[in-house]
């Protein structure tokens, strides 16, 4: 297993000015996979820096991560978001669909879209499915090496 500390050391710390890393991670327990100092939650940036004071930032660049779920959650592998009913990662499917439907989408728009679509599928389950099928219990997470305006257009 590769720890989030190792991922931060290898991928995040070396980023120099002018370089931006976008990590899009659709995996179980992936919320803070890059171990970044800022997590966007409830429409504001929350401090995720370790109490030890260890620098989890870059060397002047920027790292941004979209993770499928919080650290204590499981990422759904489901057919609920696909008209063809093939299995896919919920976040991957919704992320691609959001950009496809709105090429000018913002970081906030992406996060909102994924949250709303997951909630919509959960609400639409029939009473029988509520017994037979697990609720999709994941909240996509946005984290970054620095705070930024999430109403900025998403671009790779």
């Amino acid at each position: 297993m590769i720890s989030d500390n190792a991922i931060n050391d290898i991928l995040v710390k070396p980023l120099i000015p002018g370089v931006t890393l976008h990590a899009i991670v659709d995996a179980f327990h992936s919320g803070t996979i890059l171990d970044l100092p800022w997590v966007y939650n409830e429409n504001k940036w929350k401090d995720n820096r370790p109490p030890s004071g260890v620098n989890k930032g870059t060397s002047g660049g920027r790292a941004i991560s979209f993770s499928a779920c919080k650290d204590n959650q499981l990422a759904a592998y489901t057919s609920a978001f696909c008209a063809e009913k093939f299995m896919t990662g919920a976040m991957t499917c919704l992320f691609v669909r959001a950009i496809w439907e709105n090429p000018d989408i913002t970081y906030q728009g992406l996060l909102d879209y994924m949250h709303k679509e997951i909630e919509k599928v959960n609400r639409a389950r029939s009473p029988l499915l509520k017994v037979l099928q697990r609720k999709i219990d994941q909240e996509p997470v946005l984290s970054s090496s620095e705070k930024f305006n999430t109403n900025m257009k998403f671009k790779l």
Side-chain angles (χ1 to χ4, degrees):
M1 180 171 92
I2 302 172
S3 73
D4 57 357
N5 289 336
I7 293 171
N8 183 279
D9 287 342
I10 294 165
L11 292 178
V12 176
K13 283 186 182 168
L15 297 174
I16 59 173
V19 175
T20 299
L21 167 71
H22 280 91
I24 301 162
V25 184
D26 195 348
F28 289 12
H29 312 293
S30 59
T32 58
I33 193 161
L34 296 185
D35 214 10
L36 297 170
W38 298 99
V39 175
Y40 196 72
N41 192 356
E42 298 174 4
N43 295 320
K44 61 184 169 201
W45 289 104
K46 301 221 171 145
D47 192 341
N48 189 50
R49 292 176 288 195
S52 66
V54 172
N55 179 19
K56 295 295 184 172
T58 68
S59 296
R62 178 184 280 178
I64 299 171
S65 174
F66 277 101
S67 302
C69 56
K70 292 180 176 181
D71 287 334
N72 64 342
Q73 294 178 321
L74 302 177
Y77 187 65
T78 180
S79 63
F81 300 103
C82 178
E84 295 81 19
K85 294 300 176 199
F86 61 84
M87 300 293 283
T88 185
M91 186 204 146
T92 300
C93 180
L94 294 175
F95 192 90
V96 170
R97 187 188 308 161
I99 294 169
W100 186 262
E101 289 177 6
N102 183 2
D104 293 323
I105 200 161
T106 64
Y107 288 85
Q108 182 72 54
L110 271 166
L111 203 56
D112 289 346
Y113 183 94
M114 291 185 288
H115 281 280
K116 286 175 186 168
E117 291 299 310
I118 289 169
E119 202 46 48
K120 189 187 307 181
V121 163
N122 283 334
R123 279 193 317 271
R125 293 180 307 152
S126 70
L128 179 60
L129 282 180
K130 287 180 180 178
V131 172
L132 300 174
Q133 186 183 55
R134 272 186 43 216
K135 175 182 174 186
I136 297 174
D137 188 22
Q138 75 181 69
E139 296 176 48
V141 176
L142 172 64
S143 58
S144 179
S145 57
E146 58 190 52
K147 296 186 220 180
F148 66 93
N149 180 352
T150 58
N151 290 313
M152 175 174 65
K153 180 182 172 184
F154 172 77
K155 62 180 177 177
L156 292 178

